[in-house]
Amino acid sequence: MTSPVLLAAPGWAPALGQPFFQHALVAGTGIAAAAGLVGYFLVLRAQVFTGDALSHVAFTGALAAFALGASLRIGLYGGCIAFALLLGVLGKRGRADDVVIGSVFSWILGLGAFFLTLYTTSRSAGNGNAGVGVLFGSIFGLSSGQALTAALVGAGICAAVLAVARPLLFASVDEAVAAARGVPVRVLGFVFLALVGACAAEATQAVGSLLILGLLAAPAGAAQRMTVRPFLALALSAGLAVAEMWAGLAMSYAVPKTPPSFGILAVATAVYGATFLRKPRGRRAAAAANAA
Amino acid sequence: MARQGTSPEPVSAAAPVVALQDVAVRVGGRTLWSGVDLRVGAGEFVAVLGPNGVGKSTLVKVLLGVQPAHEGRVRVLGGAPGRAGERVGYLPQRRSFDASLRMRGTDVVRLGWDGDRWGVPLPRSRARRAARKRIAEVIERVGAAGYAHRPIGQCSGGEQQRLLIAQALVRRPELLLLDEPLDSLDLPNQAAVASLIGRICREEGVTVVMVAHDVNPILSRLDRVVYLAEGGAVSGPPAEVITSETLTRLYRTPVEVLRTSDGRLVVVGQPEAPARHSDRHADRHTGRDGGPA
Ligand SMILES: Nc1ncnc2c1ncn2[C@@H]1O[C@H](COP(=O)(O)OP(=O)(O)OP(=O)(O)O)[C@@H](O)[C@H]1O
Ligand SMILES: [Mg+2]
C-alpha cells in the first residue's frame, strides 16, 4: 500500500485505515501519474483543447453506455479513443485541428444531454444522479476491483507514454527534422491521441469529465514553468499530479463536505498559481548570466 | 563558353553521395521540374538556386525521401532516399520556435543526437556522458555556446539557426542538406555561417547540398551549382552555370549576369515567380543537364 510521507501527518492517519480511502488512493495514483505524463505532451504540443474535447466525449460516452445499458467502461474508453482517432484523421498529420474540434464539440455535448434525458426518463428516477457522477467523478465510491483496474490502466498508459516519449518529443517540437530522421510522426500523433483518449476516460472516474482538463493541464503547466529540461519536466509533471492527487484526497477527507474532485483541482490550481510567484528558471539563469 | 551539361563530372571513384537521373517531381498535381540530372561526389559543396516557388525545398525533400520522385531514379548515399537515417543531417527552411517553448538549445541539439530512439534517456548512463560531450563539442563548433542554455524560444532567429545547424551536425552526417541556412542572418553572420559550413565540408569531408537565395556568400567555396527553373535545371561549376547565356536559355527570358569589381555576381532579369504552365512542362526539357544541349 502506498504510504506517502504526506499522509503520515496525524490528522489524515485514520483515513489510511478506511477501505474506500485506500481504493481512492490506489486508483488516484495511477490516474494522476498517467494524466501528468500525457498532460506534459498535451501542453507541449499545444493540444490542450483536444483534452478538453475528449473530456466532453467521456461524458457523452458514459451516458450513452448508461442509456443503452452497455458497460460504462466500453462507453468511456470506446467513445474517447474512437473520437480521439477521428480527430486525428480529420486534422492534419495526426494532429487534431482546433476548427474540427470546435465544430464537433457542442454536438457531442448535445448528444450527451440527449443520452442523459433518455436514461433518466427510461429508467427508474433513482438514477438521476448518474449525470452528476459522470460530471464530477466518484473516486470515493470505487470497489477494490475497480481501483485495481484503474491503477493498472494508469500504469499501462504511463508505460506507453514513456515508451514513445523521446520520439514523441522530437516530433512535437521539430516535426520536419524528426520525419526526415525516420520518426513515424503521423503514427505517433495517432498513438498519442489514443493515449489522451484513454487517459480522459480513465480520469473521468476520479475527477469527472468536467474537471479532467485541470488534471491534464495544471501539473504539466506547472512543471514546464519550473524547469526547462524536457525529461525532468515530464517526470515533474507526473510527480506533481500524484502529489496533488494525494493532497486533494487527504483534504477532502479531512474537511467534510469537500468533494474529492474539488480538493484535487484546488490543490492542482494552487500549485500552478504558485509557479507564477517565482521567475521561470531559464529567465533567471539568463538574468544571472547577463549580470555576470 | 560552356555548353550546359557538358561540364566534366568530377571523377570520384566511390559511388556518388547523391545521384539523380532524369528526375521529375509533382506536387499537388503540378510538375515543378523534370529531367533533372545531378551527381554529387563525396565532400562536394553544392548550391541549389532558383526563384521562389520553383521547387528548391522540394528537391531537398526528395533527397530526404519525404517527397517521392514522380519519374526517374534517386540514390542517396548508395541507397533509396530516406534510408540513410542519421547519415544525413537536415536543416529545414525558416523554422523558428515558439517564444514560449520551454526547452534549451542543448535539448534541441540533443534531439538530433538520439531523438529517434524509443524510450526515455537514462540518467547517469555512459551513453548520456557520450551524448553530453558530443553536444558540447558541436555547440562550440558552431559558436553557440553563449546561448545554448537559454530556452530556445528566447534566442534570436540567427541564434536559433546556429543551434539548428548544430542539431543537423551532431551525428557527424556524411551528407548535409541545408535549406536556406543563411536566411534570417545579417551580413557578418551570413559570412560567418557560410565559412563555418565551408570548413565543415572541407575539414570533415561532409558533402553539403545547400539551398541559397544569394550565391555570393558561398560563391568562393562552391564546387557546383544547380539552377532550377520551371521544367528543367542546369548544373555545373558556378563559372559555367551562372552566366548570361546559360540562364537566358534556362529561363527563356533575357537574364544578365554581372560581375562586380569585388567578384560578386548579380543576376538581373531572372523571373521571380515561375509562370504556372504545368501543361507545357512535357516539351520543356530546356536545361536538361547531361543531355544534348
Ligand atoms: N503540399 C503541397 N501541396 C501543393 N503544392 C505545394 C505543396 N508544397 C509545396 N507546394 C508548391 O510547390 C512549389 C515549390 O515549393 P518549394 O517549397 O519547393 O519552393 P522553393 O523553391 O523552396 O521556394 P522558396 O524559395 O520560396 O523557398 C510551390 O509553388 C508551392 O506552392
Ligand atoms: Mg524553399
Side-chain angles (χ1 to χ4, degrees):
Chain A
M1 180 77 244
T2 350
S3 60
V5 183
L6 183 70
L7 293 175
W12 304 324
L16 292 174
Q18 307 267 5
F20 82 89
F21 195 84
Q22 294 170 355
H23 299 162
L25 213 51
V26 169
T29 302
I31 291 168
L37 293 182
V38 167
Y40 172 78
F41 285 104
L42 270 185
V43 171
L44 185 73
R45 294 165 71 88
Q47 284 186 308
V48 174
F49 194 34
T50 309
D52 194 20
L54 287 170
S55 64
H56 292 77
V57 177
F59 171 73
T60 302
L63 288 170
F66 283 140
L68 307 174
S71 137
L72 173 64
R73 186 149 288 145
I74 292 179
L76 273 176
Y77 286 91
C80 285
I81 296 179
F83 189 76
L85 295 178
L86 179 71
L87 287 180
V89 172
L90 294 177
K92 277 180 259 83
R93 295 169 150 269
R95 271 184 195 240
D97 182 288
D98 279 359
V99 180
V100 172
I101 298 172
S103 316
V104 284
F105 204 132
S106 35
W107 176 70
I108 289 285
L109 209 54
L111 205 60
F114 165 72
F115 284 125
L116 182 62
T117 317
L118 198 66
Y119 179 58
T120 47
T121 53
S122 68
R123 312 256 164 161
S124 66
N127 285 323
N129 282 334
V132 178
V134 172
L135 282 177
F136 298 103
S138 49
I139 197 167
F140 278 155
L142 299 176
S143 72
S144 63
Q146 285 173 325
L148 194 63
T149 312
L152 288 178
V153 171
I157 295 175
C158 289
V161 174
L162 291 178
V164 299
R166 201 160 21 182
L168 185 60
L169 185 73
F170 201 176
S172 302
V173 298
D174 214 348
E175 190 171 301
V177 179
R181 271 287 281 280
V183 173
V185 170
R186 202 175 140 77
V187 173
L188 276 179
F190 279 104
V191 168
F192 178 64
L193 281 172
L195 287 172
V196 180
C199 191
E202 159 97 351
T204 299
Q205 301 169 50
V207 290
S209 62
L210 270 189
L211 308 176
I212 289 170
L213 197 60
L215 204 50
L216 285 171
Q224 292 211 3
R225 289 188 59 81
M226 287 161 74
T227 176
V228 285
R229 292 165 195 264
F231 290 102
L232 184 60
L234 180 65
L236 199 57
S237 175
L240 278 177
V242 170
E244 288 163 4
M245 173 67 74
W246 289 344
L249 290 176
M251 177 172 144
S252 93
Y253 182 86
V255 185
K257 295 222 179 101
T258 318
S261 341
F262 169 76
I264 295 161
L265 289 160
V267 176
T269 312
V271 170
Y272 180 59
T275 60
F276 282 87
L277 297 180
R278 62 201 278 280
K279 269 186 166 183
R281 241 311 189 17
R283 232 171 285 163
R284 229 173 24 179
N290 286 344
Chain B
M1 255 300 303
R3 279 165 43 212
Q4 62 200 54
T6 53
S7 59
E9 297 287 338
V11 209
S12 57
V17 173
V18 171
L20 301 183
Q21 265 171 35
D22 202 20
V23 174
V25 79
R26 286 178 76 83
V27 176
R30 184 163 62 95
T31 299
L32 290 182
W33 36 258
S34 57
V36 171
D37 288 285
L38 175 67
R39 279 170 70 90
V40 181
E44 284 193 321
F45 194 142
V46 181
V48 179
L49 303 166
N52 284 139
V54 77
K56 302 183 295 296
S57 298
T58 309
L59 173 61
V60 170
K61 287 176 190 157
V62 167
L63 297 180
L64 285 167
V66 177
Q67 166 79 42
H70 180 60
E71 262 171 34
R73 206 173 105 98
V74 182
R75 305 288 284 174
V76 174
L77 290 166
R83 294 288 168 76
E86 81 265 1
R87 293 169 68 203
V88 178
Y90 173 42
L91 178 83
Q93 184 175 12
R94 263 194 292 282
R95 194 168 37 140
S96 66
F97 292 96
D98 196 81
S100 65
L101 181 62
R102 302 277 298 149
M103 211 188 245
R104 298 162 302 169
T106 41
D107 299 314
V108 172
V109 176
R110 173 88 202 245
L111 286 175
W113 175 259
D114 63 1
D116 54 346
R117 300 229 187 106
W118 300 102
V120 284
L122 300 173
R124 272 186 264 289
S125 64
R126 184 183 298 173
R128 193 185 179 108
R129 277 198 300 278
R132 279 236 174 109
K133 185 159 167 278
R134 174 62 186 153
I135 290 164
E137 184 182 288
V138 79
I139 284 174
E140 192 64 45
R141 179 101 167 115
V142 301
Y147 41 83
H149 288 272
R150 291 221 303 260
I152 195 162
Q154 294 168 16
C155 292
S156 78
E159 291 168 345
Q160 292 187 19
Q161 195 75 305
R162 279 182 195 245
L163 285 164
L164 291 171
I165 292 173
Q167 187 202 45
L169 283 173
V170 69
R171 288 302 294 263
R172 305 181 195 279
E174 293 161 54
L175 171 63
L176 207 46
L177 300 174
L178 306 172
D179 200 342
E180 306 216 7
L182 305 184
D183 196 64
S184 85
L185 299 181
D186 55 21
L187 284 177
N189 271 300
Q190 278 190 7
V193 170
S195 91
L196 168 73
I197 296 168
R199 269 204 314 278
I200 287 160
C201 176
R202 231 175 318 110
E203 293 167 11
E204 298 172 26
V206 179
T207 310
V208 178
V209 175
M210 170 168 161
V211 177
H213 213 73
D214 177 12
V215 73
N216 286 304
I218 47 174
L219 191 58
S220 61
R221 301 175 178 89
L222 284 179
D223 293 304
R224 58 178 49 230
V225 299
V226 181
Y227 241 104
L228 288 179
E230 193 203 355
V234 264
S235 81
E240 294 177 19
V241 174
I242 312 176
T243 62
S244 304
E245 302 83 63
T246 311
L247 294 184
T248 298
R249 200 160 18 188
L250 177 63
Y251 290 110
R252 299 194 152 184
T253 175
V255 175
E256 207 174 337
V257 178
L258 308 172
R259 187 176 281 273
T260 62
S261 55
D262 59 348
R264 295 168 61 85
L265 293 178
V266 182
V267 179
V268 185
Q270 173 195 338
E272 261 312 312
R276 304 282 151 96
H277 298 306
S278 49
D279 50 334
R280 286 200 295 147
H281 75 270
D283 52 10
R284 290 195 57 186
H285 287 231
T286 330
R288 193 165 172 167
D289 182 38

